């Protein structure tokens, strides 16, 4: 792992913004204009040989660190109810809204690497890595389907998992878990009809963030 | 001059050999495939989105439902990801139990695969044979977790409970006591006795399957030289597991990046030579024998080493029921754990296991809450199915069935 970090420092100098080791995994953050360049080096350079792309996925950081239930200073006033879309945010997210995360594996070196690249909300466009790793085809289609991230240079960027004619990007944090439409068979029209969802979203277990002292030194190490 | 016309054919979503709900749009020139375009997502349930709205422990059951023919392996990847983030290590006995059940799962999966694959190609008998053995293994699932398929047996910090001392027996039959006794002969002892008896019988069963298929002329005609993948292409197409090993690349996460107790066990990794359907068949058959070997070693170890199967950390694992009766703290822990769960430190982890179908990965991003911020499931079948276009190009229509079979597709994990 140390050699991998050293190789990254020496061979990719100036091409990445940060390189961190956490939970025995190496993550590098690459600006999107240098992504293709970096990926080519990672695949072809004899020091890396990341011949396979294991996984590619999008992440939406827009509600990162926000909770549905404020658990501090509640003893005097009593507990509030857990609510969807409450705005208790613990920390402000510093980067762009979306990220594309690539997991690479090198069979010859027995190493793994995570590459992350941020894209902003207004222009969620990132170059496609399909020419470098062919298997990115469906993975990019999935990320497009789920997050609306556009992969420039992808030859066939269609939706993949959602229904034909689906509207919206379901894994975005502002997309409700219940969705927008529900469908049923209408006997009079003798076809399937779509209608707005009637059910209301409930919080069963509120999302909370607690400071756990046991992991205090754990976090310092990162 | 005759007009030449290409056909576009819809294969599925209701085709019996489409292994569930695949709509495959095929462009045909006569009977030769020019392009295969799979339309997936008919079984999309939004597992990833659902997991984001639930505390960590409540999503273990979703992992079973991803690849519903090999549930426990997917659970393993998920609980390992949480364990790594929490920085806890399950007791050694729990790890042996997990490995044993992982391998039972592998055999379960391969039995279904070979049964369905052979039936697609026309060998009906295989299906009956393999389901006979699956029945025994599903009883092992049931004995330990109460459910035959969706076990939810692995938990962060260990497994739900220890192996039972008594194997449940068949009770009712309308065909007489003698037959009942015969069915119960290997259920007199504990679960481990039953599993050991199975491992004694199983190699002979695999021989039986091989007699039916390996040198079978029809089987060979349908498999040899079909869906050939070169090692370079296998890497490029993101193939893992038996699909990669069939092409001659020796890579098995159990050996190369050992998790649980695989580094203490003795087993071999079979690899293929040509990368065709027949080689992948041979690889998987050998994997079943190797899994059998691993199970035997686990049974032997588990007999000798009793111990806890869950860590003694009440922030993650529920306290014992008896303790809750007179211990206030245990009661509070139980309440907090089941109403709120536990908070996982901030960070991200990618954990992977050698699933029967390939590399199954779980990528969790946590912002420190009691629910995952983002859960990504890396399903091996998803990338294998993406390769079907390349694998089936130039083959006949009937070979698509053979290629789908060799990919061992299960839509639960492809569509998620």
């Amino acid at each position: 792992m140390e050699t991998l970090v050293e190789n990254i420092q020496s061979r990719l100098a100036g091409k990445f913004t940060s390189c961190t080791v956490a939970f025995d995994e190496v993550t590098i953050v690459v600006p999107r204009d240098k992504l293709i360049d970096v990926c080519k080096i990672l695949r072809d350079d004899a020091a890396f040989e990341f011949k396979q792309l294991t996984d590619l996925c999008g992440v939406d950081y827009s509600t990162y660190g926000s909770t549905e239930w404020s658990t501090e200073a509640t003893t005097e006033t009593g507990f509030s109810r857990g609510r969807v879309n409450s705005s208790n945010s613990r920390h402000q997210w510093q980067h762009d809204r979306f990220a594309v995360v690539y997991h690479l594996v090198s069979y010859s070196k027995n190493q793994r690497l995570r590459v992350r690249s941020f894209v902003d909300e207004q222009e969620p466009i990132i170059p496609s890595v399909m020419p470098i790793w062919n298997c990115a085809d469906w993975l990019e289609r999935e990320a497009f389907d789920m997050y609306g991230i556009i992969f420039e240079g992808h030859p066939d960027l269609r939706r993949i998992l959602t229904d034909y004619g689906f509207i919206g990007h379901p894994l975005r944090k502002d997309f409700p878990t219940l969705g927008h439409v529900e469908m049923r068979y209408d006997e009079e029209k003798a076809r399937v009809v779509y209608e707005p969802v009637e059910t209301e979203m409930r919080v069963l277990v509120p999302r909370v963030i607690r400071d756990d002292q046991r992991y205090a030194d754990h976090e310092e190490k990162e | 001059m005759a007009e030449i016309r290409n056909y576009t054919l819809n294969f599925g979503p209701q085709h019996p050999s489409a292994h569930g709900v695949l709509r495959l749009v095929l462009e045909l020139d006569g009977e030769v495939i020019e392009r295969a375009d799979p339309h997936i997502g008919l079984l999309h349930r939004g597992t990833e989105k659902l997991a984001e709205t639930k505390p960590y422990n409540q999503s273990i059951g979703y992992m079973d439902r991803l690849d519903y023919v090999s549930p426990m392996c997917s659970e393993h990847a998920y609980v390992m990801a949480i364990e790594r983030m929490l920085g806890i290590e399950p007791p050694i006995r729990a790890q042996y139990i997990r490995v044993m059940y992982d391998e039972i799962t592998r055999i379960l999966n391969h039995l279904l695969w070979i049964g369905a694959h052979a039936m697609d190609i026309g060998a009906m008998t295989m299906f009956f044979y393999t389901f006979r053995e699956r029945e025994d293994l599903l009883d092992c699932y049931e004995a330990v977790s109460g459910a035959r398929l969706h076990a939810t047996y692995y938990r962060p910090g260990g497994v739900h409970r220890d192996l039972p001392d008594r194997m449940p027996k068949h009770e009712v039959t309308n065909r007489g006591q003698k037959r009942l006794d015969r069915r119960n002969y290997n259920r007199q002892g504990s679960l481990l006795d039953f599993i050991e008896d199975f491992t004694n019988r199983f190699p002979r069963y695999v021989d039986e399957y091989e007699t039916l298929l390996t040198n079978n002329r029809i089987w060979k005609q349908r498999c040899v030289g079909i869906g050939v993948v070169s090692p370079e292409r296998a890497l490029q197409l993101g193939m893992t597991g038996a699909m990669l090993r069939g092409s001659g690349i020796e890579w098995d996460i159990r050996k190369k990046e050992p998790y649980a107790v695989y580094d203490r066990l003795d087993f071999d990794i079979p690899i293929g030579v040509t990368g065709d359907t027949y080689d992948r068949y041979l690889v998987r058959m050998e994997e079943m024998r190797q899994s059998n070997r691993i199970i035997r070693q686990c049974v032997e170890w588990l007999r000798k080493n009793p111990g806890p199967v869950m860590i003694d950390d009440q922030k993650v694992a529920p306290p014992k029921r008896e303790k809750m009766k007179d211990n206030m703290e245990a009661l509070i822990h139980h309440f907090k754990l089941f109403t709120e769960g536990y908070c996982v430190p901030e960070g991200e982890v990618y954990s992977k296991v050698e699933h029967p179908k390939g590399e199954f990965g779980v990528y969790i991003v946590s912002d420190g809450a009691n629910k995952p911020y983002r859960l990504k499931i890396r399903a091996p079948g998803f990338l294998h199915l993406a390769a079907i276009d390349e694998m089936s190009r130039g083959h006949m229509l009937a070979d698509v069935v053979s290629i789908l079979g060799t990919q061992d597709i299960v839509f639960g994990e492809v569509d998620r």
Side-chain angles (χ1 to χ4, degrees):
Chain A
M1 186 157 306
E2 288 78 34
T3 51
L4 176 62
V5 175
E6 273 169 30
N7 280 330
I8 289 168
Q9 305 283 14
S10 62
R11 301 195 186 222
L12 292 176
K15 294 197 174 78
F16 63 96
T17 45
S18 76
C19 172
T20 47
V21 182
F23 301 112
D24 296 329
E25 291 176 15
V26 186
T27 310
I28 60 171
V29 179
V30 176
R32 66 175 156 179
D33 48 326
K34 300 212 175 73
L35 181 73
I36 292 296
D37 202 15
V38 168
C39 286
K40 278 206 178 110
I41 297 172
L42 286 174
R43 187 190 65 175
D44 296 329
D45 195 308
F48 299 118
E49 289 189 336
F50 288 103
K51 295 281 184 208
Q52 196 174 58
L53 174 72
T54 307
D55 193 16
L56 183 157
C57 66
V59 184
D60 176 2
Y61 282 104
S62 58
T63 62
Y64 192 80
S66 72
T67 57
E68 290 158 350
W69 197 27
S70 54
T71 51
E72 273 159 43
T74 45
T75 38
E76 286 165 24
T77 53
F79 282 102
S80 66
R81 277 183 173 271
R83 263 182 316 213
V84 194
N85 302 331
S86 68
S87 55
N88 316 309
S89 198
R90 292 274 297 232
H91 21 230
Q92 208 61 45
W93 184 244
Q94 303 290 335
H95 301 279
D96 290 327
R97 178 174 173 189
F98 295 110
V100 181
V101 181
Y102 305 81
H103 286 95
L104 309 178
V105 59
S106 162
Y107 289 132
S108 52
K109 301 271 188 295
N110 197 355
Q111 278 169 339
R112 283 176 192 263
L113 176 68
R114 179 182 302 128
V115 178
R116 186 202 319 274
S117 198
F118 287 102
V119 285
D120 61 0
E121 196 178 346
Q122 262 66 45
E123 239 185 36
I125 302 174
I126 195 164
S128 167
V129 294
M130 222 182 117
I132 303 171
W133 297 287
N134 294 169
C135 64
D137 182 0
W138 275 26
L139 295 167
E140 285 179 351
R141 275 177 69 186
E142 190 195 336
F144 164 71
D145 193 358
M146 294 296 157
Y147 289 98
I149 299 166
I150 293 161
F151 293 87
E152 215 169 19
H154 191 290
D156 187 21
L157 201 62
R158 286 176 290 155
R159 285 183 177 274
I160 186 163
L161 287 175
T162 49
D163 199 0
Y164 304 112
F166 188 86
I167 298 164
H169 299 286
L171 276 180
R172 286 191 177 186
K173 289 287 176 182
D174 48 14
F175 190 94
T177 309
L178 289 170
H180 293 300
V181 288
E182 60 191 16
M183 68 182 215
R184 65 176 176 89
Y185 180 76
D186 189 313
E187 266 186 19
E188 282 171 19
K189 289 179 186 157
R191 65 178 173 85
V192 169
V193 291
Y194 288 87
E195 285 161 350
V197 172
E198 282 176 7
T199 334
E200 261 178 50
M201 186 68 191
R202 280 192 306 159
V203 178
L204 297 176
V205 180
R207 179 186 182 83
V208 291
I209 298 181
R210 286 182 197 282
D211 292 318
D212 195 330
Q213 292 309 312
R214 290 175 302 164
Y215 306 117
D217 52 324
H218 198 80
E219 273 160 31
E220 272 165 34
K221 261 186 267 167
E222 279 171 31
Chain B
M1 211 172 101
E3 192 190 351
I4 299 170
R5 224 166 28 145
N6 279 2
Y7 281 102
T8 304
L9 190 80
N10 263 315
F11 179 97
Q14 298 292 349
H15 194 283
S17 58
H19 287 226
V21 284
L22 168 68
R23 179 180 169 210
L24 195 57
V25 181
L26 298 169
E27 271 175 36
L28 298 171
D29 175 16
E31 218 183 322
V32 179
I33 312 277
E34 298 223 306
R35 198 171 82 96
D37 180 18
H39 287 211
I40 61 168
L42 285 95
L43 202 60
H44 180 61
R45 293 145 293 173
T47 304
E48 293 167 3
K49 184 90 175 171
L50 286 170
E52 285 172 14
T53 62
K54 290 193 163 48
Y56 282 93
N57 268 12
Q58 289 185 17
S59 301
I60 303 172
Y62 283 131
M63 298 299 127
D64 290 324
R65 284 146 182 86
L66 286 172
D67 183 354
Y68 40 76
V69 286
S70 39
M72 288 214 198
C73 286
S74 330
E75 281 177 32
H76 201 167
Y78 180 68
V79 297
M80 273 203 323
I82 300 169
E83 280 162 5
R84 276 177 62 197
M85 291 184 107
L86 289 171
I88 55 176
E89 173 116 349
I92 188 77
R93 184 174 167 85
Q95 299 199 24
Y96 266 97
I97 293 175
R98 281 185 189 176
V99 166
M100 184 172 83
Y101 268 91
D102 274 6
E103 296 308 318
I104 287 178
T105 307
R106 197 177 313 278
I107 293 180
L108 266 177
N109 177 77
H110 285 1
L111 284 177
L112 187 115
W113 158 77
I114 186 64
H117 185 27
M119 193 164 71
D120 288 348
I121 289 178
M124 187 78 186
T125 323
M126 282 305 295
F127 203 67
F128 301 129
Y129 277 29
T130 60
F131 268 65
R132 181 187 61 194
E133 275 74 77
R134 268 177 66 87
E135 204 57 36
D136 282 347
L137 292 174
L138 289 174
D139 282 348
C140 297
Y141 261 52
E142 192 177 352
V144 87
S145 72
R148 282 160 55 83
L149 285 167
H150 301 307
T152 326
Y153 178 54
Y154 297 179
R155 301 290 156 87
V159 292
H160 174 52
R161 59 171 200 174
D162 207 345
L163 304 170
D165 298 327
R166 204 171 60 85
M167 186 70 194
K169 297 184 182 69
H170 292 291
E171 277 171 6
V172 193
T173 180
N174 48 10
R175 300 170 85 181
Q177 188 63 34
K178 219 172 161 188
R179 191 184 159 85
L180 189 66
D181 290 344
R182 206 163 63 228
R183 290 180 78 191
N184 280 332
Y185 85 96
N186 52 9
R187 290 163 189 263
Q188 303 304 322
S190 68
L191 172 67
L192 283 174
D193 294 332
F194 182 75
I195 294 175
E196 192 178 14
D197 176 69
F198 179 84
T199 56
N200 291 334
R201 287 181 286 140
F202 189 63
R204 218 173 55 244
Y205 292 144
V206 183
D207 292 342
E208 216 171 85
Y209 310 148
E210 293 224 45
T211 339
L212 277 170
L213 293 177
T214 306
N215 287 316
N216 183 321
R217 193 153 48 97
I218 304 171
W219 180 254
K220 277 189 155 177
Q221 279 170 349
R222 294 297 300 276
C223 289
V224 176
I226 302 295
V228 180
V229 185
S230 68
E232 296 76 32
R233 289 308 295 163
L235 284 180
Q236 269 287 323
L237 293 170
M239 288 180 176
T240 44
M243 298 289 289
L244 188 67
R245 290 192 286 276
S247 297
I249 294 178
E250 194 202 338
W251 180 268
D252 190 312
I253 300 174
R254 292 175 294 170
K255 279 274 186 210
K256 303 286 177 178
E257 296 162 284
Y259 54 96
V261 288
Y262 277 113
D263 47 349
R264 303 183 183 191
L265 298 167
D266 183 31
F267 61 101
D268 298 319
I269 303 299
I271 56 167
V273 182
T274 54
D276 60 0
T277 300
Y278 190 68
D279 270 21
R280 288 187 284 268
Y281 154 74
L282 293 175
V283 165
R284 288 199 177 104
M285 290 309 254
E286 183 57 31
E287 272 182 22
M288 282 203 268
R289 293 178 198 276
Q290 297 298 333
S291 292
N292 199 55
R293 254 175 89 189
I294 299 176
I295 295 174
R296 292 181 77 105
Q297 295 169 46
C298 289
V299 169
E300 201 182 318
W301 191 94
L302 287 167
R303 274 187 202 288
K304 287 184 205 143
N305 298 279
V309 292
M310 195 71 172
I311 54 161
D312 193 25
D313 179 352
Q314 246 79 107
K315 300 279 182 220
V316 181
K320 284 258 179 301
R321 200 31 81 162
E322 310 92 72
K323 230 170 130 187
M324 280 164 54
K325 305 281 184 197
D326 50 13
N327 184 336
M328 191 63 199
E329 204 180 348
L331 195 64
I332 295 169
H333 273 134
H334 181 272
F335 177 73
K336 283 308 275 182
L337 193 61
F338 283 95
T339 53
E340 187 178 290
Y342 42 83
C343 289
V344 164
E346 196 179 345
E348 51 190 347
V349 141
Y350 176 78
S351 106
K352 65 271 165 195
V353 293
E354 186 69 30
H355 188 274
K357 293 182 170 63
E359 175 180 332
F360 183 91
V362 168
Y363 170 53
I364 295 183
V365 180
S366 165
D367 57 353
N370 57 344
K371 304 173 182 182
Y373 184 74
R374 166 83 165 113
L375 175 77
K376 170 72 169 59
I377 294 146
R378 191 263 185 215
F382 186 75
L383 290 163
H384 292 161
L385 190 63
I388 199 166
D389 180 35
E390 185 169 323
M391 282 174 79
S392 61
R393 232 170 246 205
H395 281 300
M396 306 286 261
L397 176 58
D399 294 331
V400 173
V401 173
S402 172
I403 292 169
L404 260 179
T406 193
Q407 288 188 340
D408 197 2
I409 296 290
V410 164
F411 275 87
E413 55 153 13
V414 173
D415 291 347
R416 281 159 291 157

